[in-house]
Amino acid sequence: MYPELQYEKVTYQNPLLALRIWRIDALERTPEAIQRQTETDWQEKKYVKWHYHKEIEFVYIVQGQQTAFCPDEKLVLNAGDVAIFGSNEPHTTMPTDLQLSYYVFQIDLQNYWDQSTMNSMKRFSEVLRPLSSLNYVCRDNPEVRQRIGHLIKEIHDEMERGEEGHDLAVAAMFKQILMLLIRYDHKRCLHYNDNPMLQRMQPILDYVDQHLSAKISISELCSRINMSYTYFIKQFKLTVGMSFTDFLAYKRIKRAEQLLLTKNLSIAEVAAAVGLSNMGHFYTMFKRYNDCSPGQFKERLSAPFQTF
């Protein structure tokens, strides 16, 4: 996507939660030459040594100062500040203080989509602009900044402890962060597509949930809600926040994860149950979402929880 950039493959601490969070303390001194070069690269729109990943990212500064760069913005972050980067958005950070200490929180937003929260979650689809446009929310609202920073710390601590129910706690706290960003987005930088189209699409969403094991024809779905193929494809992406093809694949893999963890089925039986009877295709799709095979996924989730 960005030939000058490094794609970062994020290794999740828990594949079901699809996140990685860690704290960095006591950095060694960064030479001034690196600081000058990073600044020059950003000003000249050179993305050397920058990186990107499909996960959105939060940076929370505990102590010291750090400068963060994305293509259209430079952020000078001090203790208590929070920065946000969108999915596949190129960015880099540069320490500007010897005593820097901060959290990095990377999370796959799509993992938290479900029909009960779709109307809110679709606002983060980055159809109009990257999530870094929301950095003003934390900058202009000290209370929001403090609450989000506290939630990031609590998520880190929950992951470190790995106690029973930590997955519920982490998911709830992450959704609190998203709720704060929506409620304080007074500039309306998120994707606001407030129209009745979601209600019109609801029969399609219900049909997909009920027929994941069968072949699903887009043409048949179009006829169910009286739309042309082209109009349906366009409106579905605008309304839901992802293409219908991606949505269907996502729903199938999520159902496969549930079956692997709750049913005594072979991998072939799981694949057939979610409409992906071609085993090669099923393995490819599953690995795309989980960075591991179905068998490895089941083994990892049945083993004692570990952080990396």
Side-chain angles (χ1 to χ4, degrees), residues 128-142:
L128 300 177
R129 53 188 67 86
L131 289 187
S132 62
S133 64
L134 291 175
N135 279 311
Y136 84 92
V137 173
C138 290
R139 183 177 62 243
D140 297 349
N141 297 274

Side-chain angles (χ1 to χ4, degrees), residues 190-210:
L190 291 171
H191 173 48
Y192 294 94
N193 182 31
D194 299 317
N195 60 47
M197 187 57 69
L198 183 61
Q199 184 176 355
R200 190 175 177 188
M201 290 287 182
Q202 192 61 49
I204 301 303
L205 303 178
D206 294 340
Y207 182 88
V208 168
D209 260 350
Q210 296 163 11

Side-chain angles (χ1 to χ4, degrees), residues 149-300:
H150 177 74
L151 287 165
I152 290 173
K153 179 182 181 301
E154 285 298 306
I155 289 172
H156 172 269
D157 292 347
E158 283 284 352
M159 294 297 292
E160 284 286 303
R161 291 191 298 266
E163 297 172 346
E164 289 292 334
H166 74 277
D167 52 345
L168 294 173
V170 166
M173 287 187 285
F174 175 55
K175 288 185 178 180
Q176 285 186 57
I177 292 175
L178 299 183
M179 177 273 293
L180 288 168
L181 293 175
I182 287 178
R183 290 190 174 176
Y184 287 87
D185 179 25
H186 302 311
K187 295 182 181 180
R188 297 180 71 80
C189 291
L190 291 171
H191 173 48
Y192 294 94
N193 182 31
D194 299 317
N195 60 47
M197 187 57 69
L198 183 61
Q199 184 176 355
R200 190 175 177 188
M201 290 287 182
Q202 192 61 49
I204 301 303
L205 303 178
D206 294 340
Y207 182 88
V208 168
D209 260 350
Q210 296 163 11
H211 296 84
L212 285 176
S213 62
K215 181 178 180 181
I216 295 178
S217 165
I218 295 180
S219 297
E220 181 182 344
L221 297 180
C222 293
S223 65
R224 285 177 173 269
I225 55 174
N226 195 27
M227 282 187 187
S228 70
Y229 182 93
T230 303
Y231 186 69
F232 171 79
I233 293 297
K234 179 180 179 180
Q235 290 302 316
F236 190 93
K237 184 168 185 178
L238 286 173
T239 303
V240 176
M242 66 178 84
S243 71
F244 179 77
T245 301
D246 287 344
F247 176 78
L248 180 58
Y250 169 77
K251 295 292 286 186
R252 282 176 161 156
I253 295 305
K254 291 295 133 183
R255 179 70 59 81
E257 292 173 1
Q258 293 174 357
L259 293 174
L260 284 168
L261 296 176
T262 60
K263 302 291 184 181
N264 187 22
L265 300 174
S266 69
I267 293 176
E269 289 172 326
V270 170
V274 298
L276 296 170
S277 54
N278 182 312
M279 292 300 292
H281 183 53
F282 175 62
Y283 270 80
T284 299
M285 293 299 298
F286 195 94
K287 194 167 185 178
R288 179 185 302 175
Y289 283 92
N290 291 289
D291 291 325
C292 64
S293 70
Q296 291 169 333
F297 176 88
K298 190 170 184 177
E299 290 176 6
R300 189 182 302 176

Side-chain angles (χ1 to χ4, degrees), residues 31-80:
E32 292 183 359
I34 294 179
Q35 298 182 20
R36 290 196 300 269
Q37 186 62 56
T38 304
E39 183 93 22
T40 300
D41 288 343
W42 173 71
Q43 291 174 348
E44 297 179 359
K45 298 298 181 184
K46 294 179 180 178
Y47 298 144
V48 179
K49 296 184 180 179
W50 286 35
H51 67 278
Y52 67 100
H53 37 73
K54 69 175 182 177
E55 296 76 14
I56 66 172
E57 179 173 316
F58 297 85
V59 173
Y60 169 48
I61 307 298
V62 177
Q63 176 181 303
Q65 185 183 83
Q66 184 180 73
T67 302
F69 299 87
C70 49
D72 299 318
E73 189 174 19
K74 170 186 172 183
L75 303 167
V76 178
L77 306 171
N78 295 291

